[in-house]
Amino acid sequence: MVQLTSRSASMSVESVERAGHSTGAGRAEASSGSPEEPGAPAREEPGRREGSPDRLRQLVHRTDPLDVFPTGLTRLTDTQFSVPAHWPRSHRFFAPVGSHQDPLLIAETMRQTTMLIAHAQFGVPVGDAFVMWELRYTSASERLELGEDPWDVTVDVSCSRIRRRGRSLGSMHIELLLHRRGTVLATGGGRISCTSAAAYQRLRGHRSVVLDTPIPLLPAVAPRTVGRTSENDVVLSPGTDPGSWLLRLDTRHPTLFGRPNDHVPGILLLEAARQAAHAATGSAFLPTAMQADFLQYIELDRPCLIEATALPADGDDPLAPAGVFIRAVQDGEPAFTCTLRSPELHPAGPGDVRTDLS
């Protein structure tokens, strides 16, 4: 599992109420065997909800406006939504990969869209913890070519297997379709659960000490071996065996650690998987397909090993391109697994690294 964001999001109760939803006062914890409900209670007619930049930033739990990609929200039905988003042509972290948009923009847009809908449409109170269990997407390299036009994207969202927790959300599955100018960019989905602030405190309160504890910054591998030009964005440190590295954590990173967190953020694990795939193949790795499973929290103050295993093109799916299986291991237990696939692997060149724009 991985928490989608820090619990410390600073949005007022009044802001949630202005969105047209209760903050969940008096809610009860649902047991794991609670029945599923078809959806959230309808509270308004379907329609478009444009958000101010500050409000959207709070709803997706990002402190820097440059890291916010959704630009609004439309509720179509109780379980279907449309979210317009804007992808920058350059970003200090999600920088272009050669002539293509960074595919991890897909994952981050899915993450932010999920939190936006959970807060604004399912009554999840500020202070509750979002936990991502699964995340997957499939795209194609030709659909991510930069071109000259602005990158205004629409995300169509369908929620299912919704479990309520009192007036708030317990868990749900999400299917997403990202399209632009009539062309499907990616399809994907995931599974999330929500934990009340009180329950999270009982579960993780003892780990709050790490918020005030400096995390040693391990040495970085050579940036170009993982598709980067700046050491600031490298999340792998040399390991002792071929195909393995130590996770490198820079808690000062403005995007990966935009808020205080008591464990390793999920987007950092996805970047570690991509960097490991690039290093393991020695290729210009463009992750156009991803299947990630978050098995348990990865602690900041204990070593975490990242392992990479090459996958043949003729694996379980004969049409699937070659890829890499990534595993994160902490305290001898697998905590995160990820399969990444990239089309037309070729030796990486100068144009295949992402430039630090900060």
Side-chain angles (χ1 to χ4, degrees):
M1 72 180 76
V2 63
Q3 188 179 320
L4 288 176
T5 185
S6 167
R7 294 183 299 118
S8 60
S10 57
M11 182 183 177
S12 67
V13 171
E14 289 78 15
S15 296
V16 177
E17 289 176 336
R18 283 198 299 271
H21 299 272
S22 165
T23 57
R27 65 189 180 279
E29 291 290 333
S31 67
S32 59
S34 61
E36 295 183 358
E37 295 186 10
R43 299 183 183 234
E44 58 184 318
E45 293 301 314
R48 188 172 185 81
R49 303 188 66 77
E50 294 290 353
S52 70
D54 284 345
R55 180 159 162 261
L56 284 169
R57 176 175 53 80
Q58 293 166 336
L59 287 170
V60 302
H61 297 199
R62 281 296 194 179
T63 56
D64 192 330
L66 295 176
D67 293 333
V68 176
F69 301 130
T71 59
L73 169 62
T74 300
R75 184 171 70 84
L76 306 176
T77 71
D78 286 349
T79 59
Q80 295 177 308
F81 310 92
S82 179
V83 175
H86 178 74
W87 288 357
R89 292 181 57 83
S90 61
H91 187 270
R92 66 183 175 202
F93 182 73
F94 298 102
V97 184
S99 60
H100 297 83
Q101 283 281 22
D102 181 357
L104 284 196
L105 278 167
I106 299 169
E108 177 63 9
T109 301
M110 291 168 62
R111 186 194 73 89
Q112 293 187 19
T113 295
T114 299
M115 289 193 298
L116 173 61
I117 290 171
H119 273 313
Q121 298 293 325
F122 286 95
V124 174
V126 172
D128 280 16
F130 292 84
V131 177
M132 176 69 76
W133 296 91
E134 304 166 6
L135 178 68
R136 69 183 185 282
Y137 69 74
T138 301
S139 184
S141 59
E142 63 271 16
R143 299 179 183 183
L144 298 175
E145 292 179 355
L146 279 169
E148 298 297 331
D149 298 325
W151 275 77
D152 294 315
V153 176
T154 300
V155 186
D156 294 334
V157 185
S158 179
C159 305
S160 64
R161 286 178 268 185
I162 299 164
R163 293 177 183 265
R164 305 294 300 180
R165 193 187 69 235
R167 295 182 181 181
S168 186
L169 177 69
S171 63
M172 67 179 175
H173 287 65
I174 307 167
E175 295 296 325
L176 303 100
L177 184 148
L178 287 73
H179 55 96
R180 171 177 177 258
R181 298 194 171 195
T183 298
V184 174
L185 296 176
T187 59
R191 176 170 64 96
I192 69 162
S193 63
C194 300
T195 304
S196 71
Y200 189 85
Q201 177 65 24
R202 292 193 297 270
L203 176 68
R204 298 281 300 171
H206 66 289
R207 296 301 302 167
S208 62
V209 295
V210 303
L211 297 176
D212 299 317
T213 303
I215 305 300
L217 183 60
L218 300 178
V221 300
R224 289 190 177 275
T225 65
V226 293
R228 289 288 186 180
T229 58
S230 171
E231 188 175 291
N232 296 335
D233 294 323
V234 174
V235 298
L236 298 181
S237 183
T240 57
D241 299 316
S244 69
W245 303 264
L246 289 172
L247 193 61
R248 179 177 186 262
L249 305 176
D250 183 357
T251 56
R252 302 164 302 174
H253 195 285
T255 296
L256 296 177
F257 285 92
R259 291 181 179 273
N261 214 324
D262 65 10
H263 60 274
V264 176
I267 192 63
L268 192 150
L269 294 174
L270 298 181
E271 175 64 17
R274 185 247 295 275
Q275 291 189 17
H278 190 107
T281 61
S283 302
F285 202 92
L286 188 74
T288 53
M290 170 187 290
Q291 170 68 54
D293 293 282
F294 303 91
L295 309 177
Q296 62 185 31
Y297 292 110
I298 296 181
E299 308 298 352
L300 298 171
D301 56 354
R302 299 208 288 271
C304 179
L305 189 66
I306 304 294
E307 303 172 336
T309 304
L311 297 175
D314 59 348
D316 295 335
D317 181 358
L319 299 179
V324 180
F325 175 75
I326 307 296
R327 189 173 75 145
V329 179
Q330 189 171 66
D331 298 330
E333 296 291 334
F336 164 76
T337 62
C338 185
T339 298
L340 298 172
R341 295 191 181 274
S342 175
E344 302 175 1
L345 294 180
H346 61 274
D352 295 312
V353 295
R354 289 164 290 151
T355 303
D356 176 26
L357 299 173
S358 60

